[in-house]
Amino acid sequence: MNYGILIFILGWILKIEGGLLLLPAVVGFIYRESAGVWFLLTAAIAFIIGTVMTIRNPKSRKVYAREGFVVVALAWLIMSLIGALPFTLSGDIPNYLDAVFETVSGFTTTGASILPEVESLNHCSLFWRSFTHWIGGMGIFVFMLAVVPLLGGSTFNLMKAESPGPVVGKFVPKIRDTAAILYTIYLAITIVECLLLTICGMPFFEAICHTFGTVGTGGFGVKNSGYTEYAPILQNITTFFMIACGVNFQFYYYLVGKRFKLAFSMSEVKAYLIIILVAIVLIAFNVRGMYGTTEEAVRHSAFQVGTIITTTGYATADFDKWPAFSQSILVLLMMCGACAGSTGGGIKVSRIVLLFKTIHKELSKIIHPRFIKKIQFDGVSVAHETVRNTNVFIAVYCVIFALSVLCISIDNHDFTTNFTAVTATINNIGPGLSLVGPTQNFSFFSPFSKIVLIFDMLAGRLELFPMLLLFAPHVWKRY
């Protein structure tokens, strides 16, 4: 392990977080809230510690896979520990473990909350909760690579460790240019949605907070009622942008570059949209009797399908009261997740597609033992390593999932609560069913269970392996 580069990168991450913490401090100043001082103090602490850590340049700036995965896991953990401080210092979330849970939920774009009600929070705390979604949605390392020329050409392993999906590619030869393109698209979508919500009647502060949650596919809101009080047009706008942000951002890169044929030939995007359409139709048909009109049934179905498959977590209806058939579809969508290369969580549609292609290949091989055929994805042969990585990922996912359910079952809550709590956290969704339904929260879990769920949120956002490597002793050996 190259500890020099580890400390150096973590120092830069703390300096960036210190800069980002100034925004909620400004919000506190605008609304004349004393809590803004604690954000300012935390920003100063993060920046000072980060500056001390970056004073000395490392002898080697090369970032291998080991350093890349470990530093990304440590950075997300440290960012959450620092980011939780203002909540506790201001008194908005007095219990520090609860504050860490809330902050991890924010950065990982999970949206699971321990707060029984949010409207009593200061504006600066509400802003920071939602802003952590926006930061974590595209990734803090992607942001760092876009604005800080640190490590030359050795940064791909950082992006690989943080970016979602079985394969991480570059839009252009330089990683920094790829990161800049991603954030430009991300920022443009953010501005457009915020403007539309504001124009259509949502107060600006609420519009920007909900935009952070939508574009980052997070789900923290500013009202206890969630999205139920907002007009249908605002719900429809949010539905559109949730689904749009679950699309692989390479799709938008192709559109901007007028490479329409490549954009609309992406099999993952097509599969993602088909899954959404089928789920909306099935659920709307199933819940039609619960609503006055077909339009209302379709609108709520579309919103919930969009919020669940993209792992956003907003709600316009209490789907915990929906029929079992609709609930089962939503749970399956929780696990499926959005596209690779998006801000959404879950297993990812690309992995699901590859899994089915692998099953088809194996069945064909049983029928025709001498049959040789490579798995194709978007017209390109998929490397054996990618298929193997996908299979290993799903196997590890199942193991962590099962162990997590077992661990939190010590609290003796019902199985539906335990199962969907883990589903909601490891897939970075937010709400589950029963005691963790869309109108409930996670505050009743014991400290041990909260730690397990915190791990699940971080592991789910970072594609499992970076968090697991922290527990491998040989990783820490100096070379």
Side-chain angles (χ1 to χ4, degrees), residues 201-225:
M202 187 179 287
F204 179 71
F205 179 79
E206 295 177 22
I208 195 168
C209 287
H210 284 119
T211 297
F212 287 153
T214 303
V215 179
T217 60
F220 279 151
V222 296
K223 291 186 176 182
N224 296 328
S225 56

Side-chain angles (χ1 to χ4, degrees), residues 333-401:
L333 293 179
M334 288 180 185
M335 295 182 178
C336 174
C339 296
S342 71
T343 59
I347 292 174
K348 306 294 181 301
V349 173
S350 58
R351 287 195 178 98
I352 302 296
V353 172
L354 282 176
L355 180 64
F356 277 100
K357 285 178 177 288
T358 303
I359 293 171
H360 180 264
K361 178 184 174 182
E362 290 304 312
L363 290 175
S364 298
K365 197 170 182 180
I366 292 172
I367 299 170
H368 305 288
R370 295 184 180 180
F371 181 71
I372 298 175
K373 182 181 179 181
K374 285 199 170 185
I375 295 173
Q376 300 281 318
F377 199 87
D378 289 337
V380 179
S381 295
V382 178
H384 174 71
E385 183 182 358
T386 301
V387 176
R388 182 183 62 81
N389 288 343
T390 298
N391 295 337
V392 171
F393 176 91
I394 293 174
V396 173
Y397 173 94
C398 292
V399 170
I400 294 176
F401 189 99

Side-chain angles (χ1 to χ4, degrees), residues 142 145 155-163 168-169 175 178-179 182:
V142 177
L145 297 176
T155 53
F156 183 69
N157 283 316
L158 293 175
M159 194 169 182
K160 182 179 177 182
E162 188 180 56
S163 299
V168 179
I175 288 291
T178 297
L182 283 170

Side-chain angles (χ1 to χ4, degrees), residues 66-330:
R66 178 190 301 189
E67 284 83 8
F69 278 66
V70 168
V71 76
V72 164
L74 287 177
W76 280 70
L77 183 58
I78 291 171
M79 281 175 57
S80 300
L81 295 175
I82 295 292
L85 287 175
F87 289 134
T88 301
L89 294 173
S90 66
D92 279 339
I93 306 179
N95 184 295
Y96 182 64
L97 179 59
D98 285 348
V100 172
F101 185 100
E102 198 79 6
T103 309
V104 169
S105 182
F107 278 126
T108 59
T109 71
T110 302
S113 180
I114 48 78
L115 295 169
E117 60 92 22
V118 299
E119 292 177 16
S120 62
L121 295 181
N122 292 291
H123 285 85
C124 47
S125 293
L126 286 172
F127 180 88
W128 179 239
R129 285 173 82 239
S130 296
F131 189 44
T132 54
H133 284 332
W134 196 83
I135 298 167
M138 186 57 65
I140 188 64
F141 278 90
V142 177
F143 178 77
M144 183 184 79
L145 297 176
V147 300
V148 183
L150 285 177
L151 308 168
S154 65
T155 53
F156 183 69
N157 283 316
L158 293 175
M159 194 169 182
K160 182 179 177 182
E162 188 180 56
S163 299
V167 178
V168 179
K170 297 182 285 185
F171 296 169
V172 290
K174 291 184 178 180
I175 288 291
R176 188 183 182 192
D177 292 341
T178 297
I181 290 169
L182 283 170
Y183 256 97
T184 300
I185 296 171
Y186 193 50
L187 182 61
I189 294 173
T190 302
I191 293 171
V192 172
E193 185 191 357
C194 187
L195 286 175
L196 285 175
L197 290 176
T198 304
I199 291 170
C200 292
M202 187 179 287
F204 179 71
F205 179 79
E206 295 177 22
I208 195 168
C209 287
H210 284 119
T211 297
F212 287 153
T214 303
V215 179
T217 60
F220 279 151
V222 296
K223 291 186 176 182
N224 296 328
S225 56
Y227 252 82
T228 57
E229 292 184 11
Y230 291 109
I233 188 173
L234 296 175
Q235 295 176 359
N236 291 334
I237 290 171
T238 303
T239 299
F240 173 82
F241 278 95
M242 284 191 297
I243 293 173
C245 290
V247 171
N248 191 320
F249 272 59
Q250 192 163 8
F251 175 82
Y252 300 119
Y253 174 68
Y254 287 149
L255 288 184
V256 172
K258 298 181 179 179
R259 300 160 74 180
F260 302 113
K261 187 176 180 180
L262 283 173
F264 292 104
S265 66
M266 294 178 69
S267 55
E268 181 186 25
V269 175
K270 289 188 284 188
Y272 167 73
L273 295 176
I274 290 171
I275 291 170
I276 289 174
L277 180 60
V278 171
I280 290 173
V281 171
L282 291 175
I283 292 177
F285 180 79
N286 189 229
V287 303
R288 173 62 183 86
M290 300 178 66
Y291 297 99
T293 64
T294 300
E295 181 277 331
E296 190 178 3
V298 172
R299 172 162 48 85
H300 288 303
S301 299
F303 192 99
Q304 300 315 138
V305 168
T307 196
I308 292 298
I309 195 170
T310 62
T311 70
T312 303
Y314 287 136
T316 59
D318 186 0
F319 52 80
D320 194 35
K321 296 178 180 177
W322 280 5
F325 179 71
S326 294
Q327 290 182 4
S328 298
I329 292 174
L330 292 179

Side-chain angles (χ1 to χ4, degrees), residues 23-35:
L23 289 179
V26 171
V27 172
F29 174 76
I30 292 172
Y31 286 94
R32 298 181 180 181
E33 296 171 339
S34 59

